[in-house]
Amino acid sequence: MQYGYFDEKNNEYVITRPDTPTPWMNYLGVDDKYVAMISNTAGGYSYHISAAFKSLTRYRYNAIPMDRPGRYIYIKDEETKDYWSSTWQPVIKPLDKYKYECRHGLNYTKIKTEYAGIQSSNLYFVPVNKDFEIWQVKIKNMTSKTRNLNIFTYTEFCVWCPLKDIVGIGSTLSETEMEYKEGTVYHYSYTDPGQGLEDMSFRRYYAFFTSNIKPQTFDIRREKFIGLYRDESNPEAIEKGSCSNYQVKGENPIASFQILLTLKPNQEKTLIFILGVTNEKYEEKKYIKKYLTVINVKKEFEKLNKYWQKYLSSFQVKTPEKMIDSITNIWNPYQGKIEHDKRITWYYTYRGGYGFRDRNQKTMGLVHFDSELTKKTLLILAKIQYKNGDCSHGYDVINDKSGNGGFSDDPLWFVYAVCAYVKETGDFDFLKEVVPFKDGGKSSIYEKIKLCCDWTFKNLGPHKLPLTGIADWNDCLNQKDGGESQMVACQLVKAAYDIKELAEFLNKEEDVKKYDKIANTMKNTINQVTWDGEWYLRCFDKFGNIVGSNKNKEGKIFLNSQIWAIISNVADRKRAICCMEQVKKYLSSKYGLALLYPAYKSYNPVIGTIGIFLPGLKENGGIFCHPNAWAVIAECMLGKGNQAMEYFKNYAPYFKNDIAEIIKTEPYAYTEYYASCEHSEFGCGRDSWYTGSVPWSYIALTQYILGIRPQYNGLLIDPCIPNEWNGFKVDRKFRGNFYKIEVKNPNKVSYSVKEILVDGKKITGNLVPIFKDKKIHNVIVIMG
Ligand code: GLC
């Protein structure tokens, strides 16, 4: 069943019915400053910089009715006394009498509805580089008689750490200052030092809500507007026909304006509301008026659209499949940017924080769109490495604080991210930048990535594989103290080969030898001690028992050990083909590859917390999307274009639009996982907008299926496509030049390049050179 469709022309996903199986979210704000999460019925909330420390509006997580509150506009017909919402929620009128369309675009959301002859069109967005959000509401009388309407706004504030809504409401209700003054509502209190602020001082910030039309009445206290024993669907103020004008300090802060609107037949009026944050009291008075005009809203909206047009122009593709184009050109990079900037909040978690591991991976899908931002992120990550090479697992942006190390995989992601950055940009000077360690001293980025490898290679267990530490990529194989990880071993091999490749390029002979040796030693060990006969083991537990073996009753085969053995070049072709056959046999399904099989039936502390999850969900054998992207890469590395595309389509949400009632999450955003066939809700998605599959799917699509891979000294063209494709075109920026690449596939092969012409001249091999002229270069690639 469909709830909407992709509108390729406008870069929008159009939702045609509001009762989606879960709230389908979008994000407003092009950066990590002012962030607003908004659903298809305008549910969601806003914060500034940190969802935990500088929250602005409220959201009731996992409450019923779901997805409330939000950015609401109520419309009341003063003749019939009937009232409804311009976003379906929260009043919820019957769908047979209610027209609805929501367009989630790139950092904006438009919701258009019609009820009782009144059409409303809401546009929500955060202007580029501004600390406020605009709600533009057009209301049109579609009937032939004059209509007297009463409009009410509603937003609930939360100018404290949202956790306090559960654990300390008594104190917040006594803290919040509230005020209505000259057409604006203000709410302010202090950031919460109890939540980890370094200097333990209280910082103030000010939230405001204002409009282009001075309201007739207002409410700033929730209980006054909603009334007691009611909810957002039937507020007392609306039934009475006006707000209370009651000024009070403390209590539950909201902003509701009542505005009388008389509309002649076919007449339309535009209301503009702005919700924002300032550091000083009444600071917004200096600039906000300008944005309360239709003309300036239009200008700001155009700026936003231009921002995205420019951003996405770095890589545009045209393949025989429209959906692959949409994903590669729009949705995947869009989610990648959002997850990089705002991965501290999503529908399933209000405050995720930034993790070292995930953040490194996010930069890898972002680098050719915004290399400056990538560099900024990598410098932050470099700072939280310890002198010994280990890295802090997480950090808190607002307070510049980081957690402890001890996760075996963390340092290795930094190696990949740095190499990806340098390959894309050619910024070799970055390697020389000297950055402090978390525990004193400093070193260059180049030395830091070496340390990452050295640290892992130093911490080996009895089988000479890396110790798992607190955990590896799989947070739930958290055996603590002991245990060895085959996945980290493969990752180490890749990291060591990556450093060797870089050292070769930098003419650092000793390093070439050293990292080649590390890679080969570890490669041999993996092949000697973790080959189970038909596939690779996942790990040894702390007592030396095998995990991920045919001999185990549960968790016989794990996906990551097979695909990482291929990605790292550990497996020879025979073993690679063999283990991928077993992956297909045991893990594959129409919704993607399960993380392991069979799932654990119960908790076994020796292996980790994995068994706490129900069989088939999350890390316990769920279809985790993140490694599915790696599986696509692994198949491409084996030259299997058809299989790679089949695996991609199985888990990519875009291909599930027709079965949205099963998948439940947004068709335009990757999810963390789907339930596997070991769970009754097979296919059900969860934790959308929170997944490492975003950068890796992008890498899989662009660098492995389309095969356009930046190298230190050129652009490698190495496609691995479905053999029915007759070719594809890519426009790509690289090192200041623009490459117009056309790949032709006359013999319908999946893999292998026969000939490449660059600006009409044949080149040897498949590495397109870097030009220094900042011009357009035409590249024709013949496969065969
Ligand atoms: C989540 C985490 C990620 C971890 C994965 C597997 O996606 O964000 O860091 O690798 O789960 O446990």
Side-chain angles (χ1 to χ4, degrees):
M1 174 175 168
Q2 282 190 5
Y3 288 79
Y5 61 93
F6 289 90
D7 176 348
E8 282 93 5
K9 205 167 130 247
N10 293 302
N11 295 355
E12 290 170 338
Y13 185 84
V14 188
I15 301 166
T16 48
R17 46 184 300 168
D19 55 343
T20 48
T22 56
W24 284 4
M25 292 293 177
N26 193 12
Y27 287 82
L28 314 179
V30 299
D31 54 26
D32 56 355
K33 303 281 177 324
Y34 192 101
V35 179
M37 183 173 91
I38 182 165
S39 75
N40 57 310
T41 59
Y45 66 105
S46 307
Y47 65 84
H48 190 235
I49 304 172
S50 161
F53 301 110
K54 240 182 139 182
S55 152
L56 296 173
T57 60
R58 216 177 212 170
Y59 197 58
R60 282 182 264 288
Y61 270 93
N62 201 20
I64 44 168
M66 67 180 174
D67 190 28
R68 290 193 192 173
R71 301 162 180 88
Y72 297 141
I73 305 290
Y74 297 90
I75 303 171
K76 182 177 183 194
D77 184 327
E78 279 304 338
E79 257 157 57
T80 62
K81 303 291 175 207
D82 192 10
Y83 63 89
W84 61 98
S85 317
S86 71
T87 51
W88 193 57
Q89 279 241 67
V91 178
I92 305 192
K93 287 293 185 188
L95 286 179
D96 56 346
K97 296 197 181 104
Y98 192 87
K99 282 195 202 156
Y100 166 93
E101 182 189 83
C102 166
R103 291 181 168 261
H104 279 324
L106 307 181
N107 286 148
Y108 68 83
T109 288
K110 289 175 176 172
I111 301 176
K112 192 170 173 181
T113 60
E114 194 179 317
Y115 177 80
I118 299 296
Q119 187 186 75
S120 60
S121 314
N122 299 9
L123 165 67
Y124 299 96
F125 71 102
V126 174
V128 176
N129 298 329
K130 299 284 187 300
D131 285 338
F132 56 82
E133 62 189 72
I134 294 180
W135 315 356
Q136 179 183 264
V137 181
K138 291 186 180 171
I139 308 214
K140 188 170 179 188
N141 178 0
M142 308 293 282
T143 64
S144 51
K145 60 176 196 165
T146 297
R147 305 286 293 270
N148 293 315
L149 306 174
N150 230 334
I151 308 300
F152 294 84
T153 67
Y154 187 78
T155 179
E156 226 174 302
F157 287 80
C158 177
V159 277
W160 52 79
C161 172
L163 265 187
K164 279 188 162 181
D165 270 0
I166 297 164
V167 295
I169 195 67
S171 82
T172 50
L173 297 185
S174 320
E175 282 169 21
T176 327
E177 293 222 27
M178 315 155 59
E179 178 182 22
Y180 171 84
K181 196 171 176 222
E182 294 157 13
T184 304
V185 167
Y186 299 94
H187 293 294
Y188 39 101
S189 71
Y190 295 91
T191 50
D192 181 9
Q195 294 296 319
L197 287 183
E198 193 100 282
D199 56 7
M200 288 301 278
S201 62
F202 293 84
R203 299 177 203 161
R204 243 187 176 189
Y205 62 102
Y206 301 81
F208 67 89
F209 184 79
T210 192
S211 65
N212 65 334
I213 296 183
K214 202 167 170 217
Q216 265 79 37
T217 62
F218 65 88
D219 262 317
I220 59 175
R221 182 184 175 192
R222 187 176 73 189
E223 288 69 19
K224 280 284 169 193
F225 180 76
I226 302 268
L228 298 177
Y229 302 100
R230 288 169 175 259
D231 61 49
E232 302 96 330
S233 68
N234 59 353
E236 201 170 68
I238 299 182
E239 290 183 2
K240 274 193 202 149
S242 72
C243 298
S244 69
N245 282 348
Y246 185 74
Q247 293 270 23
V248 64
K249 290 192 193 305
E251 308 295 329
N252 281 303
I254 63 152
S256 180
F257 289 167
Q258 175 234 339
I259 295 169
L260 277 171
L261 214 61
T262 302
L263 292 177
K264 296 202 188 91
N266 275 318
Q267 193 184 6
E268 181 179 83
K269 285 192 183 164
T270 303
L271 306 174
I272 298 165
F273 302 97
I274 292 188
L275 192 162
V277 60
T278 59
N279 285 329
E280 301 295 330
K281 201 169 180 184
Y282 310 139
E283 197 184 319
E284 86 295 341
K285 288 271 181 238
K286 293 183 209 145
Y287 58 82
I288 210 71
K289 228 173 155 182
K290 179 174 156 199
Y291 300 100
L292 288 164
T293 61
V294 173
I295 181 116
N296 282 326
V297 168
K298 189 164 173 250
K299 270 193 203 151
E300 290 300 324
F301 189 54
E302 279 166 7
K303 257 193 228 165
L304 174 71
N305 292 330
K306 283 210 181 99
Y307 170 94
W308 275 105
Q309 231 173 22
K310 184 160 176 257
Y311 185 90
L312 296 173
S313 67
S314 304
F315 197 110
Q316 288 289 301
V317 63
K318 186 143 186 33
T319 71
E321 297 191 47
K322 232 164 71 181
M323 187 51 82
I324 295 289
D325 298 353
S326 256
I327 300 166
T328 322
N329 296 338
I330 310 162
W331 297 104
N332 205 141
Y334 177 59
Q335 191 178 355
K337 171 96 168 87
I338 285 170
E339 287 209 4
H340 174 274
D341 292 351
K342 313 181 204 313
R343 213 213 104 164
I344 39 182
T345 191
W346 60 101
Y347 175 62
Y348 304 84
T349 296
Y350 95 88
R351 179 199 172 200
Y354 288 100
F356 188 88
R357 166 202 296 150
D358 294 7
R359 199 98 170 115
N360 271 299
Q361 295 174 73
K362 302 283 161 189
T363 68
M364 294 171 70
L366 187 78
V367 57
H368 69 272
F369 291 110
D370 196 340
S371 56
E372 276 309 304
L373 183 60
T374 304
K375 183 174 171 179
K376 201 172 129 200
T377 303
L378 291 177
L379 286 172
I380 296 174
L381 295 170
K383 250 183 13 185
I384 57 175
Q385 184 183 35
Y386 293 90
K387 278 198 285 262
N388 61 11
D390 193 9
C391 299
S392 296
H393 191 55
Y395 74 96
D396 157 11
V397 233
I398 205 164
N399 299 308
D400 196 18
K401 285 186 81 173
S402 52
N404 296 330
F407 285 75
S408 52
D409 64 320
D410 273 339
L412 301 169
W413 301 109
F414 187 59
V415 181
Y416 311 151
V418 167
C419 293
Y421 169 78
V422 180
K423 281 184 174 169
E424 179 66 41
T425 58
D427 179 8
F428 289 95
D429 286 345
F430 178 65
L431 298 169
K432 295 184 199 144
E433 276 202 42
V434 174
V435 183
F437 288 107
K438 181 177 163 161
D439 50 348
K442 55 190 175 183
S443 153
S444 70
I445 296 283
Y446 181 69
E447 291 302 320
K448 283 190 171 231
I449 57 171
K450 282 168 51 187
L451 270 177
C452 290
C453 248
D454 298 351
W455 166 253
T456 315
F457 195 55
K458 244 184 237 157
N459 285 287
L460 306 180
H463 298 88
K464 299 280 175 260
L465 294 172
L467 289 169
T468 307
I470 297 174
D472 63 13
W473 171 89
N474 190 328
D475 283 327
C476 306
L477 287 176
N478 43 347
Q479 329 173 11
K480 294 199 184 86
D481 313 324
E484 293 162 273
S485 165
Q486 184 268 6
M487 179 174 173
V488 175
C490 293
Q491 286 191 270
L492 173 63
V493 173
K494 175 166 165 50
Y497 278 141
D498 282 2
I499 296 179
K500 178 194 161 195
E501 185 192 13
L502 179 60
E504 266 165 0
F505 201 77
L506 300 173
N507 289 321
K508 292 185 184 279
E509 264 314 304
E510 269 187 26
D511 287 342
V512 173
K513 278 191 213 138
K514 175 177 167 187
Y515 290 95
D516 187 55
K517 194 166 168 213
I518 294 181
N520 287 328
T521 311
M522 191 48 67
K523 183 173 166 171
N524 289 337
T525 310
I526 299 169
N527 276 313
Q528 272 162 27
V529 302
T530 72
W531 183 250
D532 192 52
E534 284 182 299
W535 59 78
Y536 286 94
L537 303 174
R538 180 61 173 84
C539 49
F540 291 95
D541 71 22
K542 60 178 161 192
F543 302 111
N545 300 314
I546 45 180
V547 177
S549 160
N550 206 0
K551 296 185 194 80
N552 294 126
K553 275 208 180 80
E554 295 167 344
K556 278 175 177 293
I557 175 167
F558 281 68
L559 178 59
N560 278 336
S561 3
Q562 323 317 322
I563 51 191
W564 269 91
I566 295 167
I567 291 173
S568 60
N569 282 308
V570 161
D572 60 23
R573 192 163 173 90
K574 199 166 150 227
R575 282 193 174 181
I577 300 277
C578 175
C579 68
M580 288 312 278
E581 271 169 14
Q582 308 314 310
V583 161
K584 188 161 187 157
K585 183 167 162 196
Y586 291 105
L587 304 176
S588 166
S589 79
K590 59 184 172 182
Y591 302 122
L593 300 162
L595 199 52
L596 63 97
Y597 182 82
Y600 294 94
K601 304 287 174 293
S602 57
Y603 169 50
N604 172 1
V606 176
I607 298 175
T609 49
I610 196 162
I612 281 177
F613 294 124
L614 297 168
L617 300 185
K618 292 268 291 178
E619 279 91 338
N620 192 9
I623 297 170
F624 232 79
C625 292
H626 191 164
N628 271 265
W630 292 327
V632 173
I633 294 175
E635 290 294 354
C636 286
M637 289 177 74
L638 297 175
K640 303 200 165 202
N642 292 340
Q643 184 62 78
M645 186 54 86
E646 186 191 318
Y647 280 164
F648 178 68
K649 288 185 177 170
N650 282 348
Y651 78 90
Y654 321 93
F655 298 96
K656 314 281 171 217
N657 201 39
D658 295 347
I659 47 164
E661 79 286 4
I662 296 174
I663 301 298
K664 296 196 168 60
T665 48
E666 299 89 332
Y668 48 89
Y670 293 99
T671 71
E672 188 193 49
Y673 77 94
Y674 304 109
S676 82
C677 61
E678 295 198 72
H679 187 269
S680 61
E681 302 301 297
F682 184 30
C684 170
R686 204 164 285 154
D687 261 324
S688 50
W689 294 99
Y690 162 65
T691 165
S693 55
V694 185
W696 284 104
S697 297
Y698 191 71
I699 293 169
L701 275 169
T702 57
Q703 299 192 18
Y704 288 87
I705 292 181
L706 304 178
I708 301 179
R709 277 202 294 286
Q711 303 293 305
Y712 295 117
N713 54 350
L715 201 53
L716 190 76
I717 317 267
D718 186 28
C720 184
I721 54 178
N723 69 343
E724 67 195 24
W725 281 18
N726 50 15
F728 61 88
K729 290 182 183 167
V730 169
D731 288 349
R732 190 202 203 279
K733 273 193 202 135
F734 182 57
R735 310 269 184 106
N737 299 294
F738 213 86
Y739 292 81
K740 278 187 142 337
I741 304 165
E742 182 171 0
V743 176
K744 298 182 184 178
N745 187 20
N747 298 326
K748 298 283 167 82
V749 296
S750 262
Y751 189 61
S752 101
V753 166
K754 197 160 96 190
E755 184 176 294
I756 297 188
L757 300 168
V758 179
D759 294 328
K761 280 191 210 119
K762 198 170 158 181
I763 60 163
T764 318
N766 55 351
L767 187 71
V768 176
I770 299 162
F771 294 94
K772 299 228 157 72
D773 53 12
K774 307 224 175 302
K775 288 204 178 130
I776 296 179
H777 295 279
N778 292 299
V779 182
I780 306 279
V781 181
I782 316 284
M783 293 178 71

